[in-house]
Amino acid sequence: QVQLVESGGGLVQAGGSLRLSCAHSGRTFTNYAMAWFRQAPGKEREFVAAIGWNGEITIYADSVKGRFTISRDNAEKTAYLEMNSLKAEDSAVYYCAADAWVTRATMDSGSEYKHWGQGTQVTVSS
């Protein structure tokens, strides 16, 4: 059973940075594409970024392109989301997701991911 544990959320001023981590408990981390989604109060969950098993494929939501970077360390079985130039509208609960079968065409679809973390709160003060 795969478990995902996020960390690194917190309160930061607008323009600041945070790095989120997602630790994967499975033995075959390299089988999984990893992604980050977020959900703000009263809003639907939205895609943020995704990365393929070897890191060669990365995709981003337009709203975070150029500010956020997704990466992974397969030896540490951890995925990361580096968030720079944070804005108030980035405030949300951020969720890590993993799936062994998601395709390049559907990496931005939450319904394609089987495994989810519990979420970590990011609050950006303006």
Side-chain angles (χ1 to χ4, degrees), residues 21-39:
S21 299
C22 174
H24 182 286
S25 69
R27 291 183 295 177
T28 54
F29 181 63
T30 52
N31 286 354
Y32 293 82
M34 303 293 295
W36 290 93
F37 291 79
R38 66 186 182 186
Q39 188 168 21

Side-chain angles (χ1 to χ4, degrees), residues 100-118:
W101 299 102
V102 66
T103 65
R104 168 64 180 88
T106 59
M107 287 176 76
D108 59 350
S109 174
S111 61
E112 296 295 312
Y113 290 86
K114 180 178 179 181
H115 307 286
W116 291 83
Q118 81 290 347

Side-chain angles (χ1 to χ4, degrees), residues 23-103:
H24 182 286
S25 69
R27 291 183 295 177
T28 54
F29 181 63
T30 52
N31 286 354
Y32 293 82
M34 303 293 295
W36 290 93
F37 291 79
R38 66 186 182 186
Q39 188 168 21
K43 294 188 177 181
E44 292 187 354
R45 182 182 63 196
E46 65 173 352
F47 170 76
V48 176
I51 187 167
W53 71 274
N54 62 359
E56 289 188 354
I57 296 174
T58 57
I59 60 172
Y60 296 91
D62 287 343
S63 59
V64 306
K65 222 172 267 187
R67 300 188 298 122
F68 290 12
T69 302
I70 189 170
S71 62
R72 64 189 295 157
D73 184 332
N74 286 345
E76 295 295 324
K77 299 194 295 183
T78 301
Y80 302 97
L81 185 68
E82 184 76 34
M83 305 185 294
N84 298 314
S85 303
L86 282 161
K87 307 175 182 179
E89 51 264 43
D90 294 319
S91 296
V93 177
Y94 282 70
Y95 296 93
C96 174
D99 197 89
W101 299 102
V102 66
T103 65

Side-chain angles (χ1 to χ4, degrees), residues 8-20 67-68 81-87 122-124:
L11 174 65
V12 63
Q13 289 188 333
S17 299
L18 281 175
R19 187 175 83 153
L20 305 183
R67 300 188 298 122
F68 290 12
L81 185 68
E82 184 76 34
M83 305 185 294
N84 298 314
S85 303
L86 282 161
K87 307 175 182 179
V122 171
T123 303
V124 184

